[in-house]
Amino acid sequence: MLSSSPVSRLRSLLANLILFLFSLAVCAAIAETAARIYAASLARPDPVAAAKPISRFHPTLGWDKPPGGEARIRRAEFDIDIVINSRGLRGPDYDYDKPAGTKRVLILGDSFAEGYYVDEPDTARAVLEQRLNAGPCRGWQVVNGGTIAYSTDQEYLFFREEGFRYRPDLVTLLFYHNDLLYNGSGRGPGGEAKPFFGVDDGRLVARHTTLAPDAEGGPNRQNPGRAPLQPWRGSIALRLLSNRTVNSTPRLHEALASLGLVQPVPTDPPREFWPYGPVRGPEVAEMWAVTAALFAALKQDVEAHGARLSVLYVPARFEVNPSVWQTTRERYKLGRRWDPYVVFDRLKKELDAIGIPLLDPREALTRTEASGPPAYYTRDVHWNEVGNRIAAEALQRQVEADPVCRP
């Protein structure tokens, strides 16, 4: 058999190369089309939310939830319908006055407390109420006073303006590490104007002036929806790849960034991480001073209304999952002096000095994260149904140990 000529082999090789490049282009076009369809589905406006928004400007809190609001919150890991009751809260529509023989827990906090990332029956509020009324100490109502992106200062003001009206027996505040940053800031996570405080000679002093809606007249806190994805190098598929690798696989992200396939990102730790590391000492000291003063003021107000205050610590996932901590260290180039436990330890010290119990769900969350199913979403920072259940169980133990449950 005669062997093919060099020209024939070159033609065959060229044809295969063209076929390969064509196939690659077709696959890339299909991937880009699918990515754009997916991105459009996430960004598609909810006609109900437009008519019944779940966030509005508030002159003293910065933002709150309007009564009767409704929205559908869609993420890669959940798809949830939010309904706001007639008093501007998520959950049952309880009157301010308690029925005879009823006991109440009021939960304060941010998005972890509000629970916009799970169906209402799966929130810590709902699970706690169900478990209390199935246990030895019955007759409980649990009120969800949480609002997305609130910090301790807004939670304190909410109790003074609205929360006390529910005449709670017990008040529990859910504390997340970024509260430290925003307690001393006049802007919220989305840049919204918010109230904030400072400390002068050991006294809590308001630093904010009169709050106003944003320049376009909208609420000071956007609905917890998703902004349209911005393409990277003209590609939504590359944007999705960039978003996926930036926090989950930092080393891969660096390699892909060197090839121009994903967007390079700065490695400086975000400001909300400062309390975990040996950086920005004066700023972090001020964060803690303001936060401690807020807790002391809140405790005084809660007790003045005949209730007792406790705090439930909400750990970031990297605090209960060593592999997530390692990934976080790689993402932000954190040295050995960064400590995932230091915020809890400092918070306990501050609350012990004030006389506020601190509930610690970290052990149960760590066990669950190690053995599965996870307690957090893998791409969103919040608890899933499992994490909410663990939080509710920690709260249940605290409530049932309180004197209000004793005969």
Side-chain angles (χ1 to χ4, degrees), residues 118-134:
V118 293
D119 291 316
E120 207 285 322
D122 294 318
T123 61
R125 183 220 70 81
V127 177
L128 174 62
E129 185 175 87
Q130 187 275 328
R131 292 180 68 91
L132 287 174
N133 289 316

Side-chain angles (χ1 to χ4, degrees), residues 151-310:
S151 44
T152 315
D153 44 18
Q154 291 162 293
E155 293 148 14
Y156 162 63
L157 292 173
F158 172 84
F159 180 81
R160 296 192 66 179
E161 295 187 13
E162 181 71 9
F164 79 92
R165 298 175 186 272
Y166 288 94
R167 300 174 59 194
D169 299 277
L170 303 172
V171 177
T172 294
L173 184 146
L174 274 59
F175 182 89
Y176 188 60
H177 68 85
N178 69 359
D179 292 339
L180 286 165
L181 172 63
Y182 294 109
N183 284 342
S185 173
R187 294 287 171 180
E192 322 85 347
K194 62 174 284 294
F196 73 111
F197 293 80
V199 177
D200 288 342
D201 296 326
R203 296 181 301 107
L204 188 68
V205 179
R207 298 281 196 228
H208 56 279
T209 57
T210 303
L211 302 177
D214 65 28
E216 296 180 0
N220 271 30
R221 175 67 200 180
Q222 71 276 15
N223 290 338
R226 181 184 293 274
L229 288 173
Q230 299 302 311
W232 168 246
R233 297 194 180 280
S235 170
I236 292 295
L238 291 182
R239 165 56 59 201
L240 291 173
L241 176 63
S242 184
N243 292 354
R244 188 77 174 100
T245 59
V246 63
N247 290 318
S248 59
T249 51
R251 292 180 180 176
L252 175 61
H253 189 90
E254 285 186 42
L256 294 175
S258 68
L259 299 174
L261 295 177
V262 297
Q263 184 175 12
V265 293
T267 57
D268 294 335
R271 292 186 300 157
E272 65 185 58
F273 280 16
W274 289 353
Y276 291 98
V279 296
R280 303 285 185 163
E283 291 93 332
V284 171
E286 178 69 12
M287 293 177 192
W288 279 113
V290 172
T291 298
L294 285 166
F295 275 122
L298 177 60
K299 180 176 185 283
Q300 183 177 7
D301 273 19
V302 167
E303 292 179 349
H305 287 92
R308 284 175 294 283
L309 175 65
S310 63

